[in-house]
Amino acid sequence: MAVGSVQITGTGQLLELQRRLRAAGHENIRASMQRRTRRAAEPMRNDLQSAIRGLQISSSGRSGRGGGPSPTSRPLRATIAGAIRISVRVSGNPGARVWVDKGQLPPDLRRMPQVINEGRIRHPVFGNRSKWVTQTASPLWWDRTVRTHRTRMEREMARVLDDVRRRLD
């Protein structure tokens, strides 16, 4: 699983329910469904943000030589955590999506969530392209977090769909 997007959709059920909602014209039911879908996805987003913020990144270089302060004002893990988003749709292609919005990341960090998920980060030392360092992180931070939430989200979405279906009948 790649970092970037997790979608929870019960395509057939959601599409059928979307048609019924549109036909019934129940805006309050649609708004409730959208709100509950977002609430179902929020714990996953929050845990993904916590996972990246708390991720230990260590250097494989010589010990005793601290790297010093960052030459930029943007902390790497906090920047990535701030780019994790939720989108919810109840029409078109309905479902919930938790993803890393690469547009919120600086251009030089757009691939970094995927690279960190792989567990090996190789980069120039403070931008000096003649000196490179390899750092390691616990691999699969994204995949493990998504795996722990997937069944809970699917159960919650099934409950939301059943409630909406009951209100339409």
Side-chain angles (χ1 to χ4, degrees):
M1 177 182 304
V3 172
S5 178
V6 179
Q7 292 182 324
I8 301 296
T9 58
T11 317
Q13 294 175 3
L14 284 170
L15 289 173
E16 176 262 328
L17 195 57
Q18 170 212 359
R19 274 187 232 112
R20 289 178 59 192
L21 277 170
R22 193 177 298 134
H26 288 289
E27 274 306 310
N28 60 344
I29 296 176
R30 288 179 74 174
S32 172
M33 181 179 167
Q34 185 167 12
R35 185 176 55 253
R36 289 181 64 192
T37 302
R38 177 171 293 281
R39 279 195 202 136
E42 283 174 350
M44 180 189 287
R45 183 210 47 207
N46 295 343
D47 278 359
L48 284 166
Q49 289 174 331
S50 295
I52 190 65
R53 281 188 182 112
L55 192 66
Q56 292 297 316
I57 299 176
S58 59
S59 178
S60 60
R62 291 183 280 183
S63 62
R65 293 186 56 179
S70 172
T72 66
S73 61
R74 50 169 212 256
L76 172 67
R77 289 169 279 209
T79 302
I80 294 171
I84 298 174
R85 302 273 189 258
I86 300 173
S87 15
V88 175
R89 296 184 73 183
V90 292
S91 62
N93 184 17
R97 179 176 172 220
V98 179
W99 54 291
V100 176
D101 184 359
K102 293 183 180 178
Q104 295 294 313
L105 295 173
D108 58 333
L109 296 181
R110 296 215 168 122
R111 281 194 14 84
M112 195 55 69
Q114 179 67 36
V115 170
I116 292 174
N117 194 52
E118 292 167 4
R120 185 172 177 264
I121 309 151
R122 184 163 164 74
H123 62 91
V125 178
F126 294 116
N128 180 354
R129 293 214 162 284
S130 64
K131 283 192 167 204
W132 287 73
V133 67
T134 300
Q135 292 182 297
T136 57
S138 178
L140 306 176
W141 67 274
W142 179 272
D143 299 359
R144 278 194 315 265
T145 307
V146 167
R147 202 173 309 122
T148 61
H149 283 274
R150 191 168 194 98
T151 56
R152 181 199 54 78
M153 276 189 69
E154 287 170 349
R155 272 195 321 265
E156 183 62 28
M157 284 307 302
R159 190 171 23 252
V160 168
L161 292 173
D162 289 342
D163 290 349
V164 171
R165 213 176 277 121
R166 253 192 312 269
R167 287 178 71 181
L168 284 174
D169 291 337

